[in-house]
Amino acid sequence: MNPVEVAQGDSPVILGLPHTGTWLPDDIRARLNPRGQVLADTDWHIHRLYDGLLPGATTVRATFHRYVIDANRGPDDASLYPGQNTTGLVPLTDFDGEPIWETAPAAEDIAERKARFHAPYHAALAAEIERVRARHGVAILYDCHSIRSVIPFLFDGVLPDFNIGTNGGRSCAPAIEAATQEVAAATGRTHVLNGRFKGGWTTRHYGQPGQGIHAIQMELAQATHLETEAPPFAYDEAKAETQRATLKAILERLAALAPELRA
Protein backbone atom coordinates (compact mmCIF):
# COMPACT_ATOMS: atom_id res chain seq x y z
CA MET A 1 0.00 0.00 0.00
CA ASN A 2 1.36 3.41 -0.98
CA PRO A 3 1.31 5.62 2.15
CA VAL A 4 0.18 8.67 0.17
CA GLU A 5 -2.13 9.30 -2.77
CA VAL A 6 -1.64 12.45 -4.86
CA ALA A 7 -4.01 13.83 -7.48
CA GLN A 8 -2.42 16.80 -9.21
CA GLY A 9 -4.55 19.70 -10.40
CA ASP A 10 -4.04 23.13 -11.92
CA SER A 11 -5.76 25.19 -9.18
CA PRO A 12 -3.80 27.28 -6.65
CA VAL A 13 -5.59 25.32 -3.89
CA ILE A 14 -4.22 22.11 -2.36
CA LEU A 15 -6.38 19.91 -0.13
CA GLY A 16 -4.46 18.11 2.61
CA LEU A 17 -6.11 14.92 3.90
CA PRO A 18 -3.91 13.49 6.67
CA HIS A 19 -6.52 11.63 8.71
CA THR A 20 -8.98 9.92 6.33
CA GLY A 21 -6.91 6.77 5.82
CA THR A 22 -7.95 3.54 7.55
CA TRP A 23 -5.16 1.22 6.38
CA LEU A 24 -2.92 -0.41 8.98
CA PRO A 25 -0.23 -2.99 8.25
CA ASP A 26 -1.20 -6.36 9.71
CA ASP A 27 1.57 -6.32 12.30
CA ILE A 28 0.49 -2.93 13.61
CA ARG A 29 -3.21 -3.79 13.62
CA ALA A 30 -2.45 -6.92 15.66
CA ARG A 31 -0.88 -4.77 18.39
CA LEU A 32 -3.98 -2.62 18.86
CA ASN A 33 -6.43 -3.61 21.58
CA PRO A 34 -10.13 -4.07 20.71
CA ARG A 35 -10.86 -0.41 21.44
CA GLY A 36 -8.05 0.71 19.17
CA GLN A 37 -9.19 -1.55 16.35
CA VAL A 38 -12.46 0.41 16.11
CA LEU A 39 -10.39 3.30 14.64
CA ALA A 40 -12.85 5.74 16.20
CA ASP A 41 -10.62 8.79 15.70
CA THR A 42 -10.68 8.62 11.90
CA ASP A 43 -11.78 11.71 9.94
CA TRP A 44 -14.66 9.66 8.61
CA HIS A 45 -15.69 10.28 4.98
CA ILE A 46 -13.89 13.63 4.74
CA HIS A 47 -12.32 12.74 1.37
CA ARG A 48 -15.82 11.91 0.10
CA LEU A 49 -17.25 15.14 1.51
CA TYR A 50 -14.71 17.27 -0.38
CA ASP A 51 -14.56 15.16 -3.54
CA GLY A 52 -15.07 17.24 -6.68
CA LEU A 53 -15.95 20.48 -4.89
CA LEU A 54 -13.20 22.52 -6.56
CA PRO A 55 -12.26 21.28 -10.04
CA GLY A 56 -8.51 21.41 -10.47
CA ALA A 57 -7.67 21.28 -6.76
CA THR A 58 -4.67 19.12 -5.93
CA THR A 59 -5.24 16.53 -3.21
CA VAL A 60 -2.64 14.88 -1.00
CA ARG A 61 -4.11 12.06 1.09
CA ALA A 62 -2.51 9.77 3.66
CA THR A 63 -3.80 6.22 3.23
CA PHE A 64 -2.55 5.03 6.64
CA HIS A 65 -4.48 5.49 9.86
CA ARG A 66 -3.43 8.10 12.39
CA TYR A 67 -2.82 5.33 14.96
CA VAL A 68 0.08 4.16 12.79
CA ILE A 69 1.51 7.68 12.98
CA ASP A 70 -0.18 11.06 12.95
CA ALA A 71 0.68 12.98 9.77
CA ASN A 72 -0.54 16.20 11.40
CA ARG A 73 2.00 16.11 14.22
CA GLY A 74 5.60 17.23 14.00
CA PRO A 75 8.34 14.60 13.76
CA ASP A 76 9.75 15.88 17.06
CA ASP A 77 6.40 15.07 18.76
CA ALA A 78 6.23 18.51 20.42
CA SER A 79 2.78 19.22 21.86
CA LEU A 80 0.61 21.47 19.71
CA TYR A 81 -1.39 22.51 22.77
CA PRO A 82 0.89 22.63 25.83
CA GLY A 83 -0.99 22.17 29.08
CA GLN A 84 -4.05 20.65 27.38
CA ASN A 85 -5.00 17.03 26.74
CA THR A 86 -4.04 15.94 23.26
CA THR A 87 -2.59 12.95 21.39
CA GLY A 88 0.94 12.59 20.12
CA LEU A 89 2.86 11.62 17.01
CA VAL A 90 2.06 7.96 17.61
CA PRO A 91 -1.02 8.09 19.84
CA LEU A 92 -1.03 5.92 22.96
CA THR A 93 -4.68 6.72 23.72
CA ASP A 94 -7.78 7.60 21.77
CA PHE A 95 -9.56 10.97 22.00
CA ASP A 96 -11.31 9.80 25.16
CA GLY A 97 -7.99 9.22 26.90
CA GLU A 98 -8.36 5.43 26.79
CA PRO A 99 -5.42 3.15 25.86
CA ILE A 100 -5.51 1.75 22.31
CA TRP A 101 -2.53 -0.66 22.32
CA GLU A 102 -2.02 -4.17 23.63
CA THR A 103 1.69 -3.56 23.04
CA ALA A 104 2.65 0.11 22.95
CA PRO A 105 5.09 1.17 20.20
CA ALA A 106 8.72 1.38 21.27
CA ALA A 107 11.17 4.08 20.18
CA GLU A 108 12.45 1.96 17.30
CA ASP A 109 8.87 1.38 16.11
CA ILE A 110 8.22 5.11 16.03
CA ALA A 111 11.44 5.80 14.13
CA GLU A 112 10.49 3.17 11.54
CA ARG A 113 7.01 4.65 11.14
CA LYS A 114 8.42 8.13 10.66
CA ALA A 115 10.53 6.90 7.77
CA ARG A 116 7.89 4.63 6.25
CA PHE A 117 4.78 6.81 6.55
CA HIS A 118 5.23 10.32 7.95
CA ALA A 119 8.18 11.35 5.80
CA PRO A 120 6.68 10.20 2.47
CA TYR A 121 3.41 12.01 3.17
CA HIS A 122 5.17 15.28 3.90
CA ALA A 123 7.61 14.87 1.03
CA ALA A 124 4.62 14.56 -1.30
CA LEU A 125 2.82 17.50 0.28
CA ALA A 126 5.89 19.73 0.16
CA ALA A 127 6.48 18.81 -3.49
CA GLU A 128 2.92 19.73 -4.44
CA ILE A 129 3.13 23.03 -2.57
CA GLU A 130 6.28 23.91 -4.51
CA ARG A 131 4.76 22.82 -7.82
CA VAL A 132 1.61 24.87 -7.28
CA ARG A 133 3.51 27.91 -6.05
CA ALA A 134 5.80 27.77 -9.10
CA ARG A 135 2.76 27.68 -11.38
CA HIS A 136 0.66 30.38 -9.70
CA GLY A 137 3.10 32.43 -7.66
CA VAL A 138 1.09 31.37 -4.61
CA ALA A 139 -0.15 28.15 -2.99
CA ILE A 140 -3.13 27.84 -0.65
CA LEU A 141 -3.06 24.73 1.52
CA TYR A 142 -6.47 23.90 2.95
CA ASP A 143 -6.12 21.09 5.51
CA CYS A 144 -9.30 19.00 5.80
CA HIS A 145 -10.29 17.54 9.18
CA SER A 146 -13.21 16.40 11.28
CA ILE A 147 -13.82 15.34 14.86
CA ARG A 148 -16.65 14.28 17.13
CA SER A 149 -18.54 17.26 18.47
CA VAL A 150 -18.46 16.07 22.10
CA ILE A 151 -15.16 14.82 23.55
CA PRO A 152 -14.79 15.82 27.23
CA PHE A 153 -11.18 14.61 27.34
CA LEU A 154 -10.18 17.23 24.75
CA PHE A 155 -12.61 20.12 25.25
CA ASP A 156 -15.61 21.28 27.24
CA GLY A 157 -19.15 21.35 25.88
CA VAL A 158 -20.09 20.98 22.24
CA LEU A 159 -17.65 21.86 19.48
CA PRO A 160 -18.83 24.42 16.89
CA ASP A 161 -19.75 23.10 13.45
CA PHE A 162 -16.89 24.96 11.74
CA ASN A 163 -13.52 25.26 13.52
CA ILE A 164 -11.13 27.41 11.50
CA GLY A 165 -7.45 27.36 12.41
CA THR A 166 -4.78 29.77 11.21
CA ASN A 167 -2.29 29.59 14.09
CA GLY A 168 -3.58 32.88 15.43
CA GLY A 169 -3.51 34.49 11.98
CA ARG A 170 0.12 33.62 11.30
CA SER A 171 -0.33 30.85 8.72
CA CYS A 172 -2.23 32.73 6.01
CA ALA A 173 -3.19 36.16 4.71
CA PRO A 174 -6.01 37.94 6.56
CA ALA A 175 -8.15 37.76 3.40
CA ILE A 176 -8.13 33.94 3.49
CA GLU A 177 -9.08 33.86 7.14
CA ALA A 178 -11.84 36.46 6.60
CA ALA A 179 -13.32 34.78 3.52
CA THR A 180 -13.51 31.39 5.22
CA GLN A 181 -15.09 32.85 8.31
CA GLU A 182 -17.58 34.88 6.27
CA VAL A 183 -18.88 31.87 4.35
CA ALA A 184 -19.17 29.80 7.54
CA ALA A 185 -21.00 32.62 9.33
CA ALA A 186 -23.47 33.04 6.47
CA THR A 187 -24.79 29.52 7.12
CA GLY A 188 -26.10 30.61 10.52
CA ARG A 189 -24.35 27.63 12.07
CA THR A 190 -21.83 27.71 14.88
CA HIS A 191 -18.26 28.58 13.97
CA VAL A 192 -15.08 29.74 15.64
CA LEU A 193 -11.72 31.08 14.54
CA ASN A 194 -8.64 29.80 16.39
CA GLY A 195 -10.67 28.27 19.17
CA ARG A 196 -9.78 24.86 20.60
CA PHE A 197 -8.23 23.92 17.23
CA LYS A 198 -5.81 26.54 15.93
CA GLY A 199 -4.30 24.40 13.19
CA GLY A 200 -2.08 21.36 13.51
CA TRP A 201 1.57 20.92 12.63
CA THR A 202 0.80 20.95 8.90
CA THR A 203 -0.82 24.39 9.06
CA ARG A 204 1.84 25.81 11.35
CA HIS A 205 4.79 24.29 9.48
CA TYR A 206 3.84 25.12 5.89
CA GLY A 207 1.97 28.39 6.37
CA GLN A 208 4.45 31.09 5.31
CA PRO A 209 2.39 33.94 3.85
CA GLY A 210 5.47 36.07 3.18
CA GLN A 211 6.78 33.29 0.91
CA GLY A 212 3.52 32.86 -0.95
CA ILE A 213 2.38 29.77 0.96
CA HIS A 214 -0.89 30.17 2.87
CA ALA A 215 -2.26 27.41 5.11
CA ILE A 216 -5.59 27.08 6.88
CA GLN A 217 -7.18 24.17 8.73
CA MET A 218 -10.88 23.35 8.76
CA GLU A 219 -12.00 21.05 11.57
CA LEU A 220 -15.63 20.08 11.01
CA ALA A 221 -17.84 18.67 13.73
CA GLN A 222 -18.76 15.21 12.49
CA ALA A 223 -22.41 15.78 13.38
CA THR A 224 -22.55 18.01 10.29
CA HIS A 225 -22.17 15.10 7.85
CA LEU A 226 -22.50 11.76 9.68
CA GLU A 227 -25.67 9.93 10.70
CA THR A 228 -24.10 9.40 14.10
CA GLU A 229 -20.72 10.12 15.68
CA ALA A 230 -20.41 6.46 16.73
CA PRO A 231 -19.92 3.16 14.90
CA PRO A 232 -20.56 2.58 12.06
CA PHE A 233 -19.92 6.32 11.44
CA ALA A 234 -22.23 6.29 8.43
CA TYR A 235 -22.26 9.12 5.90
CA ASP A 236 -25.51 11.13 5.90
CA GLU A 237 -26.30 12.12 2.32
CA ALA A 238 -28.75 14.90 3.22
CA LYS A 239 -26.50 16.50 5.82
CA ALA A 240 -23.49 16.13 3.56
CA GLU A 241 -25.21 17.81 0.62
CA THR A 242 -25.82 20.92 2.71
CA GLN A 243 -22.29 20.84 4.03
CA ARG A 244 -20.78 20.36 0.57
CA ALA A 245 -22.47 23.52 -0.69
CA THR A 246 -20.82 25.52 2.09
CA LEU A 247 -17.41 23.93 1.61
CA LYS A 248 -17.60 24.47 -2.14
CA ALA A 249 -18.28 28.18 -1.56
CA ILE A 250 -15.27 28.41 0.78
CA LEU A 251 -12.91 26.73 -1.67
CA GLU A 252 -14.12 28.84 -4.58
CA ARG A 253 -13.56 32.02 -2.56
CA LEU A 254 -10.04 30.96 -1.67
CA ALA A 255 -9.17 30.09 -5.27
CA ALA A 256 -10.50 33.47 -6.41
CA LEU A 257 -8.26 35.24 -3.89
CA ALA A 258 -5.07 33.61 -5.19
CA PRO A 259 -4.15 36.25 -7.84
CA GLU A 260 -4.16 38.95 -5.16
CA LEU A 261 -1.81 36.96 -2.92
CA ARG A 262 1.13 36.32 -5.21
CA ALA A 263 4.37 36.84 -3.35
Side-chain angles (χ1 to χ4, degrees):
M1 174 71 75
N2 193 324
V4 56
E5 295 175 343
V6 176
Q8 292 185 336
D10 58 7
S11 166
V13 176
I14 301 162
L15 304 183
L17 297 156
H19 292 155
T20 68
T22 55
W23 176 63
L24 300 100
D26 290 342
D27 61 319
I28 294 178
R29 183 182 292 275
R31 295 172 65 174
L32 288 166
N33 64 24
R35 186 179 183 99
Q37 290 182 11
V38 174
L39 307 183
D41 300 332
T42 306
D43 286 11
W44 295 104
H45 306 290
I46 280 292
H47 55 300
R48 178 178 178 183
L49 190 68
Y50 281 93
D51 185 44
L53 291 184
L54 184 66
T58 292
T59 61
V60 181
R61 177 178 180 251
T63 59
F64 53 91
H65 194 264
R66 68 189 303 159
Y67 290 169
V68 175
I69 194 165
D70 193 330
N72 200 32
R73 300 291 186 271
D76 62 357
D77 201 17
S79 176
L80 296 172
Y81 298 99
Q84 300 182 64
N85 287 339
T86 187
T87 53
L89 178 63
V90 174
L92 299 180
T93 71
D94 62 16
F95 287 166
D96 294 309
E98 298 295 332
I100 58 173
W101 298 99
E102 294 283 5
T103 306
E108 56 269 26
D109 297 318
I110 295 171
E112 190 267 343
R113 295 182 197 187
K114 282 186 192 178
R116 187 176 170 191
F117 302 102
H118 192 278
Y121 175 79
H122 283 285
L125 184 57
E128 290 309 306
I129 289 171
E130 286 307 307
R131 182 185 67 83
V132 169
R133 182 172 62 167
R135 179 185 180 106
H136 294 280
V138 63
I140 300 173
L141 173 60
Y142 178 102
D143 219 36
C144 310
H145 295 264
S146 73
I147 195 168
R148 284 180 286 141
S149 56
V150 177
I151 307 179
F153 181 71
L154 296 183
F155 51 82
D156 295 330
V158 179
L159 199 68
D161 290 339
F162 299 93
N163 300 268
I164 304 161
T166 64
N167 195 25
R170 292 184 286 275
S171 68
C172 67
I176 289 177
E177 187 179 82
T180 305
Q181 199 171 17
E182 182 180 319
V183 176
T187 66
R189 301 168 80 174
T190 54
H191 65 282
V192 67
L193 174 65
N194 293 313
R196 174 61 179 86
F197 298 99
K198 298 176 173 62
W201 185 77
T202 301
T203 304
R204 303 181 197 200
H205 176 71
Y206 292 104
Q208 302 174 55
Q211 318 246 339
I213 304 171
H214 303 264
I216 186 168
Q217 176 174 303
M218 177 64 79
E219 188 92 46
L220 299 172
Q222 290 180 345
T224 64
H225 57 280
L226 299 186
E227 290 181 6
T228 177
E229 297 182 331
F233 305 103
Y235 190 75
D236 188 307
E237 293 280 1
K239 286 182 181 179
E241 205 53 41
T242 299
Q243 189 72 310
R244 278 172 58 83
T246 300
L247 298 172
K248 178 178 176 65
I250 289 172
L251 295 178
E252 289 176 344
R253 286 281 298 274
L254 299 190
L257 282 170
E260 305 170 19
L261 300 173
R262 292 189 180 118

